[in-house]
Amino acid sequence: MTAVPPGPGTLELLLADATELLPTLAAGLPELSAGSAPRPAKTPRSVDTLTRDMPDADPNDLALQRWSVIAPEGPAGDEALEAIAPLLRLREAEQGAKVEPYRVRSGMGVAEAARWKADVLRDERVPEEEIPRYLLLLGDLDDLSAELQHVLANGAFVGRLHVAGPDGRPDPDGYAAYAEKAVRWAREPTGHDHPDALFFAADDGTAATQLGRHLLIDPCVSMARRTGRRPFPAANIVDVPGADTADDFLRGGSTVRPSLLLSVSHGLGRPRRGWASVEHQRALQGALLVGAQGSSAPLLTAEMLQSTSFLPGGVWFCLACFGAGTPMQSAFYPWLSVLAREGAYTHVQRVLESLPQAGERPFLAALPQAALRNPRGPLAVIGHLDLAWTYGFVDPIRTSQSRASRIFSSIQAMTRGSRAGVALDALMRSYREVNDELLSGYHAEEDARAWNRPSPVDPVQRSRAFMLRNDLRGYVLLGDPAARLPLKGSKALPSGNAAGECGPDASVAP
């Protein structure tokens, strides 16, 4: 199905009603609506500014960067650590040093997380070379908060692992299944020198996915096929055709080589009449509409990914609303609530109703949990922990102009053999740039006020930058940040090597 590409200046939302399977925001929003965003609250500079140690060290070398794990206090954390013990032993062997897990309390806000980072993780008594830059969080968003993950991600390579059972509680078997998969691929990589790179946009006839096709997928394919001094090192660059059903989509991801997949589709949100139950919401929120509109089976759910071969040993960059999970509060709520009060745009109230409600628990989406637990599934998933707009890959001023390079940089890093945490950090550079732009605007306003001069900051441009910041901030990594594609030459140390037997230069083979 082919639709006319949306016109310039349109901001589209990748969110669909879970019952009707139709876009929640059918008409998109004009770019000028960003000017209605209220002035954002400033966060401490230490929270959003990169402060990585040892900037001259190879970011992929665990012997130099170190790896550790953060688990919640209490029995749930104990069980998770025990379940992933083989992964801990692997990382100890790679870095040549014992892994010392951190334990933290649940529900940390930004201020408390920043204090913990400064006082515990970056304790001045710990030598700089022993501070871990790779951090794997264990637990759902109500075990270890999204705020903690965000604070740590500015200064470290951070991932998160959580697998729930049918009752919604942490499932030690699921954690163990992921750990076994990660260890197996690290010790027994494939014989392939290069991965496949797959690019997909759902062909559902909506303006949102058409914009994703024209301003993200097509430019990424073009950049991947471009020849130059450092060509894109993929064995095959595949522009996956639009699928009729979810089964078609899964077949496109059942590759022989380790593969990277960038997909654009709608993620499911609250249906018009609400969720039947909390369990219903947790099973479906963030599921993907990958098939054609009107298809008999367009929906990709966690149940379908439990055991189907899909991106084995690969990495999935999944662009969709709530594709990674649902936070306690949406960063877009203040802006959308202003638009709803103004009443100028159709369906904005529907989007507001899809956002987290007061008293609801935050949670990771079931779909990436199933993919990570699956022995024949990917090693890492990069997805969105909130609403996903087109802001992340368009110019904030000329929204008909592509900025696909922001996301392509992550794809390129993984293809060249970098670890998943390094790949996500390539995208987070764009986040830090726009965040610095906002901070500079604040300082310019304060200086102008002190000298009784007019503000030099264009309020509409600042609002657009704030929207871009929020969209980029929503990307998170699920899975071990030290995971990398199991290509030839990426083999970890032999299983017989223990931490005490490793020399100070022990690391993954280049």
Side-chain angles (χ1 to χ4, degrees):
M1 179 182 296
T2 303
V4 177
T10 302
L11 304 173
E12 300 292 340
L13 178 66
L14 292 161
L15 181 69
D17 183 289
T19 299
E20 300 170 355
L21 303 186
L22 295 172
T24 303
L25 190 63
L29 293 173
E31 61 170 318
L32 291 177
S33 66
S36 297
R39 175 174 175 146
K42 289 191 288 185
T43 55
R45 190 173 181 86
S46 61
V47 171
D48 288 318
T49 302
L50 181 66
T51 55
R52 181 172 300 114
D53 298 323
M54 299 180 65
D56 58 331
D58 178 0
N60 290 294
D61 190 336
L62 290 193
L64 296 176
Q65 301 293 351
R66 297 294 179 92
W67 182 98
S68 191
V69 61
I70 302 176
E73 298 172 344
D78 296 339
E79 290 182 345
L81 286 170
E82 183 178 355
I84 69 161
L87 182 58
L88 269 65
R89 302 292 84 78
L90 171 73
R91 299 308 181 208
E92 286 180 341
E94 287 187 284
Q95 68 183 14
K98 183 175 176 58
V99 170
E100 299 288 353
Y102 296 92
R103 307 299 294 271
V104 301
R105 76 171 197 84
S106 301
M108 280 189 179
V110 170
E112 186 178 0
R115 286 196 301 271
W116 184 88
K117 174 182 175 181
D119 297 343
V120 179
L121 183 64
R122 299 189 177 278
D123 189 334
E124 287 289 326
R125 295 169 295 180
V126 179
E128 180 185 20
E129 64 271 14
E130 295 180 11
I131 297 174
R133 282 87 187 175
Y134 283 86
L135 297 170
L136 175 61
L137 278 62
L138 300 179
D140 208 345
L141 297 175
D142 57 351
D143 297 316
L144 299 179
S145 68
E147 289 76 14
L148 174 64
Q149 184 166 358
H150 173 74
V151 167
L152 295 175
N154 288 281
F157 305 120
V158 182
R160 180 188 292 264
L161 177 63
H162 171 68
V163 182
D167 59 357
R169 297 175 60 82
D171 179 11
D173 290 341
Y175 283 82
Y178 176 81
E180 189 279 330
K181 176 173 66 173
V183 171
R184 171 169 50 85
W185 280 118
R187 291 197 168 131
E188 300 174 7
T190 66
H192 299 290
D193 291 307
H194 303 293
D196 285 346
L198 314 178
F199 300 91
F200 171 86
D203 189 9
D204 58 14
T206 66
T209 54
Q210 284 293 308
L211 202 63
R213 159 60 64 183
H214 289 279
L215 295 185
L216 178 59
I217 297 300
D218 287 349
C220 279
V221 171
S222 296
M223 286 186 282
R225 291 175 174 165
R226 185 184 303 158
T227 58
R229 189 170 58 88
R230 293 190 70 193
F232 187 68
N236 299 290
I237 299 165
V238 183
D239 189 351
V240 180
D244 286 332
T245 67
D247 285 337
D248 294 334
F249 174 77
L250 290 173
R251 279 191 289 271
S254 299
T255 56
V256 175
R257 294 175 181 270
S259 299
L260 299 106
L261 168 64
L262 171 62
S263 69
V264 178
S265 62
H266 288 85
L268 292 194
R270 190 183 305 271
R272 188 181 298 271
R273 295 184 178 180
W275 296 103
S277 64
V278 172
E279 292 74 21
H280 185 218
Q281 180 185 17
R282 286 178 171 251
L284 287 182
Q285 188 147 300
L288 305 181
L289 280 177
V290 296
Q293 201 171 75
S295 162
S296 59
L299 185 60
L300 180 66
T301 65
E303 185 178 3
M304 300 173 70
L305 272 185
Q306 292 289 352
S307 57
T308 302
S309 179
F310 180 72
L311 298 177
V315 176
W316 186 7
F317 198 121
C318 174
L319 180 52
C321 285
F322 304 127
T326 301
M328 182 170 291
Q329 294 179 327
S330 171
F332 298 100
Y333 175 82
W335 170 57
L336 290 170
S337 60
V338 169
L339 294 184
R341 286 197 300 271
E342 292 175 349
Y345 305 108
T346 307
H347 299 313
V348 168
Q349 184 60 40
R350 288 283 316 284
V351 179
L352 271 176
E353 292 167 358
S354 293
L355 299 183
Q357 305 298 304
E360 291 184 348
R361 292 168 54 196
F363 61 94
L364 295 182
L367 188 66
Q369 290 185 50
L372 294 176
R373 175 176 185 153
N374 185 350
R376 296 185 293 166
L379 291 168
V381 178
I382 296 175
H384 223 276
L385 195 66
D386 203 336
L387 297 179
W389 298 81
T390 51
Y391 264 107
F393 53 85
V394 301
D395 189 282
I397 299 177
R398 297 171 297 278
T399 52
S400 60
Q401 182 172 328
S402 172
R403 285 290 181 266
S405 59
R406 294 178 187 137
I407 291 175
F408 185 73
S409 62
S410 293
I411 303 297
Q412 189 166 242
M414 285 295 302
T415 307
R416 289 176 174 160
S418 283
R419 300 182 187 273
V422 176
L424 177 62
D425 194 65
L427 175 61
M428 290 299 99
R429 285 199 299 267
S430 296
Y431 163 77
R432 289 188 288 269
E433 287 173 1
V434 71
N435 192 70
D436 284 345
E437 176 186 336
L438 284 168
L439 289 172
S440 297
Y442 282 131
H443 294 318
E445 281 190 326
E446 290 168 358
D447 289 345
R449 191 178 302 112
W451 291 98
N452 198 27
R453 296 171 180 166
S455 171
V457 179
D458 179 354
V460 174
Q461 173 57 21
R462 180 176 60 194
S463 296
R464 290 170 176 162
F466 179 61
M467 295 293 295
L468 173 59
R469 169 192 182 271
N470 285 344
D471 201 27
L472 294 174
R473 191 178 190 231
Y475 289 103
V476 295
L477 170 64
L478 303 181
D480 183 1
R484 66 200 316 173
L485 294 173
L487 301 170
K488 186 184 295 184
S490 66
K491 187 174 182 179
L493 291 168
S495 58
N497 284 19
E501 300 170 44
C502 297
D505 297 325
S507 65
V508 175

